[in-house]
């Protein structure tokens, strides 16, 4: 068994050997430490980049959802406005059609009423066979008749040429070259006997 001194010497030799070995591998250990530190930095950068990518994806998703929501609201608003405008147009068109229909019906009624009145006047005038026979005049809606009181056939036959022309113009009748032709035109329109006309 080695003595205490020999043990000490062996321990010192082993320690020196270990220190020499450690000295030889020191650069390698240093490189490993530097590589580990570099890897740690790279790992941190990767994790940071990954975090930024995740945040960016979430932000893009949030923006897309907001755009989709806004677009949907705009579309719904446009659809609502279009629907209201269409309903308004439909209502206005329906009202206009009903007004046109009523106007047309009123015009038709007025037309037949005026024509019925005109026919009644013509029937009454057809029996005027004496100078003192009372004559009737056809009224025209919306127009004032000439301001003359021609009450019977005698007064009709005594009307001047200018008076007759006024009545022809009032009834939108053709004006001829002579008083006799114009009187005959007016008499025919009112269904008055044409003889004896002056």
């Amino acid at each position: 068994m080695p003595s205490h001194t020999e043990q000490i010497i062996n321990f010192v030799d082993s320690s020196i050997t270990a220190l020499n070995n450690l000295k030889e591998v020191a650069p390698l250990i240093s490189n490993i430490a530097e590589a580990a530190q570099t890897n740690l930095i790279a790992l941190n950068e990767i994790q940071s980049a990954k975090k930024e990518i995740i945040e960016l994806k979430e932000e893009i998703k949030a923006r897309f959802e907001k755009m989709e929501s806004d677009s949907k609201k705009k579309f719904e608003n446009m659809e609502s406005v279009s629907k209201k405008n269409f309903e308004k147009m439909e209502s206005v068109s329906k009202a206009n059609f009903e007004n046109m229909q009523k106007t047309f019906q009123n015009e038709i009624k007025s037309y037949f009423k005026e024509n019925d009145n005109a026919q009644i006047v013509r029937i009454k005038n057809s029996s005027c066979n004496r100078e003192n026979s009372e004559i009737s005049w056809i009224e025209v809606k919306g127009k004032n008749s000439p301001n003359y009181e021609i009450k019977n056939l005698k007064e009709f036959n005594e009307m001047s040429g200018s008076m007759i022309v006024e009545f022809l113009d009032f009834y939108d009748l053709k004006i001829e070259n002579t008083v006799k032709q114009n009187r005959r035109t007016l008499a025919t329109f009112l269904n008055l006997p044409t003889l004896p006309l002056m």
Side-chain angles (χ1 to χ4, degrees):
M1 180 178 178
S3 64
H4 184 68
T5 302
E6 290 176 347
Q7 289 179 354
I8 293 173
I9 292 170
N10 290 335
F11 174 76
V12 171
D13 289 339
S14 299
S15 296
I16 291 170
T17 302
L19 285 172
N20 289 331
N21 291 336
L22 183 61
K23 184 178 180 181
E24 290 177 0
V25 298
L28 181 60
I29 294 173
S30 178
N31 291 337
I32 293 172
E34 289 177 1
Q37 186 176 5
T38 302
N39 290 337
L40 182 61
I41 293 171
L43 181 61
N44 290 335
E45 289 178 353
I46 290 171
Q47 289 177 344
S48 178
K50 185 177 180 181
K51 183 180 179 182
E52 289 179 1
I53 291 171
I54 292 172
E55 290 177 352
L56 182 61
K57 285 175 66 177
E58 290 177 351
E59 184 180 354
I60 292 172
K61 182 181 178 182
R63 288 186 180 183
F64 179 78
E65 289 176 350
K66 187 176 185 301
M67 288 174 61
E68 189 177 22
S69 176
D70 291 344
S71 299
K72 185 177 180 181
K73 287 179 180 178
K74 287 181 180 179
F75 177 78
E76 289 175 351
N77 289 337
M78 289 174 62
E79 189 178 25
S80 177
V81 171
S82 298
K83 184 178 180 181
K84 288 180 180 178
N85 287 339
F86 178 78
E87 290 174 351
K88 185 177 180 181
M89 288 174 62
E90 189 177 24
S91 176
V92 171
S93 299
K94 185 178 180 181
N96 287 340
F97 176 77
E98 290 176 352
N99 289 335
M100 289 173 62
Q101 191 176 32
K102 287 179 181 178
T103 301
F104 179 72
Q105 289 174 347
N106 290 335
E107 288 178 353
I108 292 294
K109 289 179 182 177
S110 176
Y111 172 80
F112 282 107
K113 184 177 180 181
E114 289 178 9
N115 277 273
D116 288 343
N117 291 336
Q119 291 303 322
I120 292 171
V121 169
R122 290 187 175 103
I123 291 170
K124 287 173 65 177
N125 287 339
S126 65
S127 62
C128 295
N129 51 17
R130 288 191 291 270
E131 287 189 344
N132 62 350
S133 296
E134 184 177 344
I135 65 173
S136 299
W137 293 89
I138 297 172
E139 296 180 359
V140 178
K141 186 179 180 180
K143 295 176 70 174
N144 295 323
S145 61
N147 193 21
Y148 301 113
E149 291 188 8
I150 310 300
K151 298 179 180 179
N152 53 47
L153 192 60
K154 181 176 184 295
E155 292 175 354
F156 180 86
N157 287 329
E158 292 174 351
M159 288 172 63
S160 66
S162 60
M163 292 169 64
I164 294 172
V165 167
E166 285 189 52
F167 278 101
L168 292 176
D169 186 59
F170 173 71
Y171 290 123
D172 293 326
L173 299 174
K174 183 180 178 180
I175 298 173
E176 303 292 349
N177 295 324
T178 66
V179 175
K180 184 176 181 180
Q181 288 175 318
N182 288 335
R183 196 187 307 274
R184 188 177 296 278
T185 299
L186 183 58
T188 301
F189 176 75
L190 295 173
N191 202 28
L192 291 170
T194 56
L195 293 174
L197 295 177
M198 297 175 61

